[in-house]
Amino acid sequence: MFNRLHHIAIICSDYEKSKNFYVTVLGLDVVKETYRKARKSYKLDLALNGNYIIELFSFPNPPKRISRPEAQGLRHLAFEVINMEQAISYLSSKGVQTEPIRIDELTGKKFTFFNDPDELPLELYEK
């Protein structure tokens, strides 16, 4: 019935800042960028390694939402990495701070969290 996750939609507060973060810092590829005049809104379709993954939206004055990894609702988005230390070093070079590395007590794998420009919790999880 279900094939795979199609996409994740994110509404940002500052479109250019978030676009730069997801494209320049995280290295996602722009599939398509659309300005929707009637909504005064951008929609940016992003891919990771050729797979469509994120729809980044801007809307005038979106309401704020509390969003921490332990808050009710969407917990976080996780990106798989091959080498945790290299990924953290790369993010650090771009001015992105990460939490200390943790070990998943169920899998023994390394993981850590960082935030996008709107404080959306993002995770690195070592393969």
PDB file of all heavy atoms in Angstrom, residues 29-55:
ATOM      1  N   ASP A  29      19.761  19.709  -3.073  1.00  0.00           N
ATOM      2  CA  ASP A  29      19.649  20.220  -4.436  1.00  0.00           C
ATOM      3  C   ASP A  29      18.281  20.830  -4.672  1.00  0.00           C
ATOM      4  O   ASP A  29      17.254  20.254  -4.282  1.00  0.00           O
ATOM      5  CB  ASP A  29      19.857  19.089  -5.448  1.00  0.00           C
ATOM      6  CG  ASP A  29      21.237  18.475  -5.343  1.00  0.00           C
ATOM      7  OD1 ASP A  29      22.217  19.238  -5.249  1.00  0.00           O
ATOM      8  OD2 ASP A  29      21.338  17.234  -5.349  1.00  0.00           O
ATOM      9  N   VAL A  30      18.254  21.978  -5.343  1.00  0.00           N
ATOM     10  CA  VAL A  30      16.995  22.615  -5.707  1.00  0.00           C
ATOM     11  C   VAL A  30      16.406  21.885  -6.905  1.00  0.00           C
ATOM     12  O   VAL A  30      17.045  21.782  -7.954  1.00  0.00           O
ATOM     13  CB  VAL A  30      17.193  24.107  -6.043  1.00  0.00           C
ATOM     14  CG1 VAL A  30      15.897  24.730  -6.552  1.00  0.00           C
ATOM     15  CG2 VAL A  30      17.715  24.871  -4.829  1.00  0.00           C
ATOM     16  N   VAL A  31      15.198  21.363  -6.733  1.00  0.00           N
ATOM     17  CA  VAL A  31      14.476  20.721  -7.828  1.00  0.00           C
ATOM     18  C   VAL A  31      13.666  21.772  -8.566  1.00  0.00           C
ATOM     19  O   VAL A  31      13.678  21.839  -9.797  1.00  0.00           O
ATOM     20  CB  VAL A  31      13.554  19.596  -7.297  1.00  0.00           C
ATOM     21  CG1 VAL A  31      12.710  18.999  -8.410  1.00  0.00           C
ATOM     22  CG2 VAL A  31      14.364  18.518  -6.590  1.00  0.00           C
ATOM     23  N   LYS A  32      12.956  22.602  -7.793  1.00  0.00           N
ATOM     24  CA  LYS A  32      12.123  23.650  -8.387  1.00  0.00           C
ATOM     25  C   LYS A  32      11.824  24.711  -7.332  1.00  0.00           C
ATOM     26  O   LYS A  32      11.595  24.383  -6.173  1.00  0.00           O
ATOM     27  CB  LYS A  32      10.812  23.056  -8.905  1.00  0.00           C
ATOM     28  CG  LYS A  32       9.924  24.032  -9.630  1.00  0.00           C
ATOM     29  CD  LYS A  32       8.688  23.342 -10.182  1.00  0.00           C
ATOM     30  CE  LYS A  32       7.840  24.334 -10.946  1.00  0.00           C
ATOM     31  NZ  LYS A  32       6.623  23.709 -11.467  1.00  0.00           N
ATOM     32  N   GLU A  33      11.823  25.962  -7.768  1.00  0.00           N
ATOM     33  CA  GLU A  33      11.456  27.067  -6.890  1.00  0.00           C
ATOM     34  C   GLU A  33      10.276  27.797  -7.531  1.00  0.00           C
ATOM     35  O   GLU A  33      10.335  28.174  -8.695  1.00  0.00           O
ATOM     36  CB  GLU A  33      12.635  28.020  -6.714  1.00  0.00           C
ATOM     37  CG  GLU A  33      12.349  29.159  -5.763  1.00  0.00           C
ATOM     38  CD  GLU A  33      13.580  30.021  -5.518  1.00  0.00           C
ATOM     39  OE1 GLU A  33      14.346  30.256  -6.487  1.00  0.00           O
ATOM     40  OE2 GLU A  33      13.782  30.454  -4.378  1.00  0.00           O
ATOM     41  N   THR A  34       9.208  27.971  -6.756  1.00  0.00           N
ATOM     42  CA  THR A  34       7.991  28.584  -7.270  1.00  0.00           C
ATOM     43  C   THR A  34       7.557  29.722  -6.356  1.00  0.00           C
ATOM     44  O   THR A  34       7.488  29.535  -5.139  1.00  0.00           O
ATOM     45  CB  THR A  34       6.844  27.536  -7.333  1.00  0.00           C
ATOM     46  OG1 THR A  34       7.284  26.409  -8.084  1.00  0.00           O
ATOM     47  CG2 THR A  34       5.601  28.120  -7.951  1.00  0.00           C
ATOM     48  N   TYR A  35       7.247  30.862  -6.950  1.00  0.00           N
ATOM     49  CA  TYR A  35       6.642  31.947  -6.178  1.00  0.00           C
ATOM     50  C   TYR A  35       5.154  31.935  -6.484  1.00  0.00           C
ATOM     51  O   TYR A  35       4.743  32.002  -7.639  1.00  0.00           O
ATOM     52  CB  TYR A  35       7.235  33.308  -6.526  1.00  0.00           C
ATOM     53  CG  TYR A  35       6.609  34.416  -5.701  1.00  0.00           C
ATOM     54  CD1 TYR A  35       6.909  34.531  -4.348  1.00  0.00           C
ATOM     55  CD2 TYR A  35       5.695  35.301  -6.252  1.00  0.00           C
ATOM     56  CE1 TYR A  35       6.325  35.518  -3.560  1.00  0.00           C
ATOM     57  CE2 TYR A  35       5.112  36.295  -5.474  1.00  0.00           C
ATOM     58  CZ  TYR A  35       5.427  36.393  -4.130  1.00  0.00           C
ATOM     59  OH  TYR A  35       4.843  37.360  -3.352  1.00  0.00           O
ATOM     60  N   ARG A  36       4.349  31.820  -5.434  1.00  0.00           N
ATOM     61  CA  ARG A  36       2.903  31.771  -5.595  1.00  0.00           C
ATOM     62  C   ARG A  36       2.343  33.141  -5.200  1.00  0.00           C
ATOM     63  O   ARG A  36       2.166  33.431  -4.014  1.00  0.00           O
ATOM     64  CB  ARG A  36       2.316  30.640  -4.756  1.00  0.00           C
ATOM     65  CG  ARG A  36       2.942  29.296  -5.186  1.00  0.00           C
ATOM     66  CD  ARG A  36       2.528  28.128  -4.384  1.00  0.00           C
ATOM     67  NE  ARG A  36       2.766  28.321  -2.965  1.00  0.00           N
ATOM     68  CZ  ARG A  36       2.369  27.467  -2.033  1.00  0.00           C
ATOM     69  NH1 ARG A  36       1.716  26.386  -2.376  1.00  0.00           N
ATOM     70  NH2 ARG A  36       2.608  27.694  -0.775  1.00  0.00           N
ATOM     71  N   LYS A  37       2.110  33.985  -6.214  1.00  0.00           N
ATOM     72  CA  LYS A  37       1.723  35.380  -6.012  1.00  0.00           C
ATOM     73  C   LYS A  37       0.459  35.509  -5.162  1.00  0.00           C
ATOM     74  O   LYS A  37       0.400  36.357  -4.269  1.00  0.00           O
ATOM     75  CB  LYS A  37       1.520  36.053  -7.366  1.00  0.00           C
ATOM     76  CG  LYS A  37       1.309  37.530  -7.286  1.00  0.00           C
ATOM     77  CD  LYS A  37       1.233  38.144  -8.667  1.00  0.00           C
ATOM     78  CE  LYS A  37       1.005  39.642  -8.560  1.00  0.00           C
ATOM     79  NZ  LYS A  37       0.924  40.260  -9.876  1.00  0.00           N
ATOM     80  N   ALA A  38      -0.547  34.681  -5.411  1.00  0.00           N
ATOM     81  CA  ALA A  38      -1.810  34.773  -4.671  1.00  0.00           C
ATOM     82  C   ALA A  38      -1.613  34.540  -3.176  1.00  0.00           C
ATOM     83  O   ALA A  38      -2.335  35.099  -2.357  1.00  0.00           O
ATOM     84  CB  ALA A  38      -2.824  33.776  -5.231  1.00  0.00           C
ATOM     85  N   ARG A  39      -0.634  33.725  -2.822  1.00  0.00           N
ATOM     86  CA  ARG A  39      -0.360  33.422  -1.414  1.00  0.00           C
ATOM     87  C   ARG A  39       0.795  34.239  -0.841  1.00  0.00           C
ATOM     88  O   ARG A  39       1.135  34.086   0.328  1.00  0.00           O
ATOM     89  CB  ARG A  39      -0.019  31.935  -1.253  1.00  0.00           C
ATOM     90  CG  ARG A  39      -1.163  31.015  -1.541  1.00  0.00           C
ATOM     91  CD  ARG A  39      -0.720  29.590  -1.293  1.00  0.00           C
ATOM     92  NE  ARG A  39      -1.826  28.673  -1.451  1.00  0.00           N
ATOM     93  CZ  ARG A  39      -1.826  27.439  -1.004  1.00  0.00           C
ATOM     94  NH1 ARG A  39      -0.763  26.974  -0.369  1.00  0.00           N
ATOM     95  NH2 ARG A  39      -2.851  26.657  -1.188  1.00  0.00           N
ATOM     96  N   LYS A  40       1.444  35.021  -1.696  1.00  0.00           N
ATOM     97  CA  LYS A  40       2.653  35.745  -1.298  1.00  0.00           C
ATOM     98  C   LYS A  40       3.638  34.775  -0.641  1.00  0.00           C
ATOM     99  O   LYS A  40       4.164  35.018   0.433  1.00  0.00           O
ATOM    100  CB  LYS A  40       2.312  36.907  -0.365  1.00  0.00           C
ATOM    101  CG  LYS A  40       1.419  37.939  -0.990  1.00  0.00           C
ATOM    102  CD  LYS A  40       1.040  39.018  -0.018  1.00  0.00           C
ATOM    103  CE  LYS A  40       0.032  39.944  -0.667  1.00  0.00           C
ATOM    104  NZ  LYS A  40      -0.590  40.823   0.301  1.00  0.00           N
ATOM    105  N   SER A  41       3.851  33.663  -1.331  1.00  0.00           N
ATOM    106  CA  SER A  41       4.560  32.537  -0.737  1.00  0.00           C
ATOM    107  C   SER A  41       5.487  31.868  -1.748  1.00  0.00           C
ATOM    108  O   SER A  41       5.153  31.751  -2.926  1.00  0.00           O
ATOM    109  CB  SER A  41       3.520  31.518  -0.257  1.00  0.00           C
ATOM    110  OG  SER A  41       4.110  30.289   0.032  1.00  0.00           O
ATOM    111  N   TYR A  42       6.639  31.424  -1.234  1.00  0.00           N
ATOM    112  CA  TYR A  42       7.543  30.592  -2.024  1.00  0.00           C
ATOM    113  C   TYR A  42       7.339  29.126  -1.653  1.00  0.00           C
ATOM    114  O   TYR A  42       6.986  28.805  -0.517  1.00  0.00           O
ATOM    115  CB  TYR A  42       9.005  30.939  -1.744  1.00  0.00           C
ATOM    116  CG  TYR A  42       9.496  32.141  -2.501  1.00  0.00           C
ATOM    117  CD1 TYR A  42       9.506  33.392  -1.906  1.00  0.00           C
ATOM    118  CD2 TYR A  42       9.965  32.008  -3.811  1.00  0.00           C
ATOM    119  CE1 TYR A  42       9.962  34.502  -2.599  1.00  0.00           C
ATOM    120  CE2 TYR A  42      10.429  33.116  -4.503  1.00  0.00           C
ATOM    121  CZ  TYR A  42      10.421  34.358  -3.888  1.00  0.00           C
ATOM    122  OH  TYR A  42      10.876  35.452  -4.568  1.00  0.00           O
ATOM    123  N   LYS A  43       7.589  28.270  -2.627  1.00  0.00           N
ATOM    124  CA  LYS A  43       7.661  26.820  -2.397  1.00  0.00           C
ATOM    125  C   LYS A  43       8.949  26.359  -3.066  1.00  0.00           C
ATOM    126  O   LYS A  43       9.141  26.543  -4.264  1.00  0.00           O
ATOM    127  CB  LYS A  43       6.471  26.093  -3.007  1.00  0.00           C
ATOM    128  CG  LYS A  43       6.544  24.583  -2.834  1.00  0.00           C
ATOM    129  CD  LYS A  43       5.301  23.925  -3.464  1.00  0.00           C
ATOM    130  CE  LYS A  43       5.315  22.436  -3.261  1.00  0.00           C
ATOM    131  NZ  LYS A  43       6.104  21.729  -4.263  1.00  0.00           N
ATOM    132  N   LEU A  44       9.839  25.795  -2.254  1.00  0.00           N
ATOM    133  CA  LEU A  44      11.132  25.337  -2.755  1.00  0.00           C
ATOM    134  C   LEU A  44      11.191  23.819  -2.593  1.00  0.00           C
ATOM    135  O   LEU A  44      11.088  23.301  -1.479  1.00  0.00           O
ATOM    136  CB  LEU A  44      12.265  25.994  -1.966  1.00  0.00           C
ATOM    137  CG  LEU A  44      13.694  25.680  -2.407  1.00  0.00           C
ATOM    138  CD1 LEU A  44      13.949  26.225  -3.816  1.00  0.00           C
ATOM    139  CD2 LEU A  44      14.693  26.269  -1.436  1.00  0.00           C
ATOM    140  N   ASP A  45      11.293  23.113  -3.714  1.00  0.00           N
ATOM    141  CA  ASP A  45      11.393  21.652  -3.694  1.00  0.00           C
ATOM    142  C   ASP A  45      12.861  21.267  -3.658  1.00  0.00           C
ATOM    143  O   ASP A  45      13.645  21.700  -4.507  1.00  0.00           O
ATOM    144  CB  ASP A  45      10.729  21.050  -4.930  1.00  0.00           C
ATOM    145  CG  ASP A  45       9.248  21.387  -5.015  1.00  0.00           C
ATOM    146  OD1 ASP A  45       8.611  21.536  -3.962  1.00  0.00           O
ATOM    147  OD2 ASP A  45       8.727  21.495  -6.147  1.00  0.00           O
ATOM    148  N   LEU A  46      13.227  20.443  -2.669  1.00  0.00           N
ATOM    149  CA  LEU A  46      14.618  20.071  -2.443  1.00  0.00           C
ATOM    150  C   LEU A  46      14.811  18.562  -2.493  1.00  0.00           C
ATOM    151  O   LEU A  46      13.935  17.803  -2.071  1.00  0.00           O
ATOM    152  CB  LEU A  46      15.074  20.596  -1.080  1.00  0.00           C
ATOM    153  CG  LEU A  46      15.020  22.116  -0.913  1.00  0.00           C
ATOM    154  CD1 LEU A  46      15.202  22.509   0.539  1.00  0.00           C
ATOM    155  CD2 LEU A  46      16.070  22.784  -1.790  1.00  0.00           C
ATOM    156  N   ALA A  47      15.974  18.144  -2.970  1.00  0.00           N
ATOM    157  CA  ALA A  47      16.300  16.721  -3.073  1.00  0.00           C
ATOM    158  C   ALA A  47      17.624  16.448  -2.363  1.00  0.00           C
ATOM    159  O   ALA A  47      18.492  17.314  -2.266  1.00  0.00           O
ATOM    160  CB  ALA A  47      16.400  16.296  -4.539  1.00  0.00           C
ATOM    161  N   LEU A  48      17.752  15.224  -1.875  1.00  0.00           N
ATOM    162  CA  LEU A  48      18.986  14.737  -1.264  1.00  0.00           C
ATOM    163  C   LEU A  48      19.418  13.506  -2.043  1.00  0.00           C
ATOM    164  O   LEU A  48      18.675  12.529  -2.128  1.00  0.00           O
ATOM    165  CB  LEU A  48      18.755  14.384   0.207  1.00  0.00           C
ATOM    166  CG  LEU A  48      19.937  13.790   0.966  1.00  0.00           C
ATOM    167  CD1 LEU A  48      21.099  14.777   1.017  1.00  0.00           C
ATOM    168  CD2 LEU A  48      19.518  13.402   2.370  1.00  0.00           C
ATOM    169  N   ASN A  49      20.596  13.580  -2.653  1.00  0.00           N
ATOM    170  CA  ASN A  49      21.114  12.474  -3.471  1.00  0.00           C
ATOM    171  C   ASN A  49      20.098  12.009  -4.512  1.00  0.00           C
ATOM    172  O   ASN A  49      19.899  10.819  -4.736  1.00  0.00           O
ATOM    173  CB  ASN A  49      21.542  11.302  -2.594  1.00  0.00           C
ATOM    174  CG  ASN A  49      22.685  11.663  -1.676  1.00  0.00           C
ATOM    175  OD1 ASN A  49      23.584  12.411  -2.063  1.00  0.00           O
ATOM    176  ND2 ASN A  49      22.656  11.163  -0.461  1.00  0.00           N
ATOM    177  N   GLY A  50      19.423  12.965  -5.148  1.00  0.00           N
ATOM    178  CA  GLY A  50      18.464  12.650  -6.204  1.00  0.00           C
ATOM    179  C   GLY A  50      17.078  12.265  -5.715  1.00  0.00           C
ATOM    180  O   GLY A  50      16.188  12.039  -6.531  1.00  0.00           O
ATOM    181  N   ASN A  51      16.892  12.163  -4.416  1.00  0.00           N
ATOM    182  CA  ASN A  51      15.585  11.806  -3.864  1.00  0.00           C
ATOM    183  C   ASN A  51      14.879  13.051  -3.348  1.00  0.00           C
ATOM    184  O   ASN A  51      15.405  13.758  -2.490  1.00  0.00           O
ATOM    185  CB  ASN A  51      15.723  10.797  -2.711  1.00  0.00           C
ATOM    186  CG  ASN A  51      16.268   9.484  -3.183  1.00  0.00           C
ATOM    187  OD1 ASN A  51      15.791   8.905  -4.147  1.00  0.00           O
ATOM    188  ND2 ASN A  51      17.306   9.005  -2.518  1.00  0.00           N
ATOM    189  N   TYR A  52      13.686  13.301  -3.880  1.00  0.00           N
ATOM    190  CA  TYR A  52      12.856  14.431  -3.441  1.00  0.00           C
ATOM    191  C   TYR A  52      12.576  14.241  -1.958  1.00  0.00           C
ATOM    192  O   TYR A  52      12.147  13.182  -1.537  1.00  0.00           O
ATOM    193  CB  TYR A  52      11.562  14.407  -4.244  1.00  0.00           C
ATOM    194  CG  TYR A  52      10.628  15.549  -3.991  1.00  0.00           C
ATOM    195  CD1 TYR A  52      10.898  16.806  -4.529  1.00  0.00           C
ATOM    196  CD2 TYR A  52       9.471  15.386  -3.255  1.00  0.00           C
ATOM    197  CE1 TYR A  52      10.035  17.866  -4.321  1.00  0.00           C
ATOM    198  CE2 TYR A  52       8.599  16.440  -3.043  1.00  0.00           C
ATOM    199  CZ  TYR A  52       8.881  17.672  -3.585  1.00  0.00           C
ATOM    200  OH  TYR A  52       8.017  18.712  -3.375  1.00  0.00           O
ATOM    201  N   ILE A  53      12.868  15.264  -1.134  1.00  0.00           N
ATOM    202  CA  ILE A  53      12.771  15.047   0.304  1.00  0.00           C
ATOM    203  C   ILE A  53      12.060  16.164   1.060  1.00  0.00           C
ATOM    204  O   ILE A  53      11.284  15.896   1.965  1.00  0.00           O
ATOM    205  CB  ILE A  53      14.170  14.793   0.912  1.00  0.00           C
ATOM    206  CG1 ILE A  53      14.071  14.428   2.373  1.00  0.00           C
ATOM    207  CG2 ILE A  53      15.093  15.954   0.715  1.00  0.00           C
ATOM    208  CD1 ILE A  53      15.364  13.923   2.984  1.00  0.00           C
ATOM    209  N   ILE A  54      12.290  17.444   0.706  1.00  0.00           N
ATOM    210  CA  ILE A  54      11.745  18.552   1.496  1.00  0.00           C
ATOM    211  C   ILE A  54      11.045  19.563   0.597  1.00  0.00           C
ATOM    212  O   ILE A  54      11.546  19.920  -0.476  1.00  0.00           O
ATOM    213  CB  ILE A  54      12.858  19.264   2.296  1.00  0.00           C
ATOM    214  CG1 ILE A  54      13.371  18.343   3.408  1.00  0.00           C
ATOM    215  CG2 ILE A  54      12.357  20.585   2.896  1.00  0.00           C
ATOM    216  CD1 ILE A  54      14.528  18.912   4.211  1.00  0.00           C
ATOM    217  N   GLU A  55       9.872  20.025   1.074  1.00  0.00           N
ATOM    218  CA  GLU A  55       9.204  21.180   0.495  1.00  0.00           C
ATOM    219  C   GLU A  55       9.355  22.301   1.519  1.00  0.00           C
ATOM    220  O   GLU A  55       8.854  22.187   2.635  1.00  0.00           O
ATOM    221  CB  GLU A  55       7.722  20.910   0.251  1.00  0.00           C
ATOM    222  CG  GLU A  55       7.473  19.917  -0.847  1.00  0.00           C
ATOM    223  CD  GLU A  55       5.992  19.629  -1.077  1.00  0.00           C
ATOM    224  OE1 GLU A  55       5.137  20.039  -0.255  1.00  0.00           O
ATOM    225  OE2 GLU A  55       5.692  18.986  -2.092  1.00  0.00           O
TER     226      GLU A  55
END
